[in-house]
Amino acid sequence: MISRRDFLVKLAKIASVVGGTGMILFDPSWQKFLSGEYLNIAFADTYLDEIIRSAPRARYWKPILLKGDNSSKEESIVRCLLCANGCAIVNGQRGRCRTRMNVNGELKSLVYGRPIAIHIDPIEKKPFYHFLPGTAAFSLATAGCPLHCKFCQNWDISQSSPEDHQVSFTTSAHIAHVAYTNKSPVIAYTYNEPTVFMEYLTDIARDAKKLGIRSVLVSCGFMKEEPLTEMCSVLDAIKIDLKGYSNDFYRNVCGAELQPVLKSIKQVAKSRVHLEIVNLVVPTLNDSDKMLQGLIDWILGEVGPDVPIHFSRFHPDYQMRNLPPTPVATLERAYNMAMSKGIHYPYVGNVPDHPGNKTYCPNCKKVLVERQAFFTTEMNIKNGRCKFCGRKIAGVWASRI
Ligand code: SF4
């Protein structure tokens, strides 16, 4: 793919080498460039034009029809129904996430087929502690996010636009095939908010399933019910960030709302999909006893004691470099509050080798899973049960050690 600007730059370079543009047609290496195939591409003004041209129709939106409206298709407005922002988007504009554009009255996904980051991570890094411990997760992201968390640890991709990263179009089948050839039993949709590429991830998950590969989502949980239902139909596990048990916190720090996230957590808990929750504890903002207690009580009351909850350490980043990292004592306070209230599997996150990284049997209290950094080093769960007392342990277990 080449933009008009790149075409002219190349043309100028060749011209200066051969002494005039008239010679170009006789240069065999430029024959293809001048073919119809290449000329089509050369008409692109920018990489963004190329993205828009290849962008498929998005799912989950509707046209907004105004009463007595006789506006043309080019002037029409659409409502995106993918996440709780519910953006109304006029022709030629995008929603808050920057990834979905109204193109002549049709909403298109600008991130479908455009992964910008791919890594193979231990699944514990997501974090999933109760889902196939010891598994390598083929992880990918696109640009964009519907939220604007001031503490975002991946802001360089989540707060970027699709055209900021020049990448080739990659089909869902190809992603599944690459994960397969890399012997990754799991594909993780992660780093940015994967809801913005839900069409792509659900297509990848379907292709991956045919190859025996499972799919997991690392999400802020801000999507609407219908797309989440579709995602649950193809995913095997979802981790949702419950960023703080306060509407003010969500509004002021994340540019979002608490209620849609709580709704998503309840929806996943009722589905067949494995669920874990992360609470990133940010000093002075969401670390009060009141907020932590509210969050723990809500989890206990609405999804029960068996859903793992990770109290993770904040590191200064993005627009919150003024705050210190979360004191370990704060995370221990949250962990102890959860444990004393009856949560079965609380964890201290982002503090390597802390005792709060281990899984303990809620019945006999023995260590079931020992972890060092992001790696599982000891497994005492057999057939989903505590090896010592036989109690059933919530999760999807298959030790790879
Ligand atoms: S997914 Fe993007 S465009 Fe759609 S409602 Fe959310 S922020 Fe707006």
Side-chain angles (χ1 to χ4, degrees), residues 220-231:
C220 65
F222 201 60
M223 65 288 272
K224 283 187 179 281
E225 184 179 343
E226 211 184 337
L228 181 55
T229 301
E230 183 182 346
M231 287 194 251

Side-chain angles (χ1 to χ4, degrees), residues 80-87 89 95-100 146 196:
C80 180
L81 302 173
L82 180 55
C83 90
N85 282 328
C87 301
I89 310 169
R96 277 189 79 193
C97 60
R98 300 173 299 280
T99 67
R100 297 164 87 77
V196 301

Side-chain angles (χ1 to χ4, degrees), residues 41-60:
I41 294 158
F43 288 145
D45 286 314
T46 62
Y47 173 59
L48 178 59
D49 289 338
E50 182 196 321
I51 294 177
I52 294 168
R53 196 170 12 257
S54 64
R57 182 185 167 95
R59 296 173 207 155
Y60 304 107

